[in-house]
Amino acid sequence: METVITLVAAALLIALGTRLIHRLNAQHDARIAAHHFDGPYPSLSRPPGHGNPRPPERITHRRPTDTRP
């Protein structure tokens, strides 16, 4: 009889956990649906006149940082 009660309690806990996870997923889905995301690649769609920035100029006269011979 104790085994049956243990199995029923375990099944009840699994059912309650499943229900809780389902409700949390539904809440999360509703939160995502309410949020308006930007475009998929906002850095690629720049306003007119704001083209790609120029790469920085190369430094030709660098000093060595290592002092070993």
Side-chain angles (χ1 to χ4, degrees), residues 33-66:
H35 184 74
H36 300 288
F37 291 99
D38 290 339
Y41 300 107
S43 63
L44 295 180
S45 59
R46 296 186 178 158
H50 293 93
N52 292 335
R54 294 182 184 156
E57 295 181 17
R58 293 192 171 209
I59 301 173
T60 57
H61 298 76
R62 293 188 180 193
R63 293 183 303 158
T65 57
D66 191 10

Side-chain angles (χ1 to χ4, degrees), residues 3-65:
T3 306
V4 173
I5 293 173
T6 303
L7 291 175
V8 169
L12 182 63
L13 286 174
I14 290 172
L16 289 175
T18 304
R19 178 70 177 150
L20 176 66
I21 290 173
H22 177 72
R23 291 184 66 198
L24 288 173
N25 281 338
Q27 182 182 13
H28 187 250
D29 290 342
R31 190 178 302 141
I32 288 175
H35 184 74
H36 300 288
F37 291 99
D38 290 339
Y41 300 107
S43 63
L44 295 180
S45 59
R46 296 186 178 158
H50 293 93
N52 292 335
R54 294 182 184 156
E57 295 181 17
R58 293 192 171 209
I59 301 173
T60 57
H61 298 76
R62 293 188 180 193
R63 293 183 303 158
T65 57

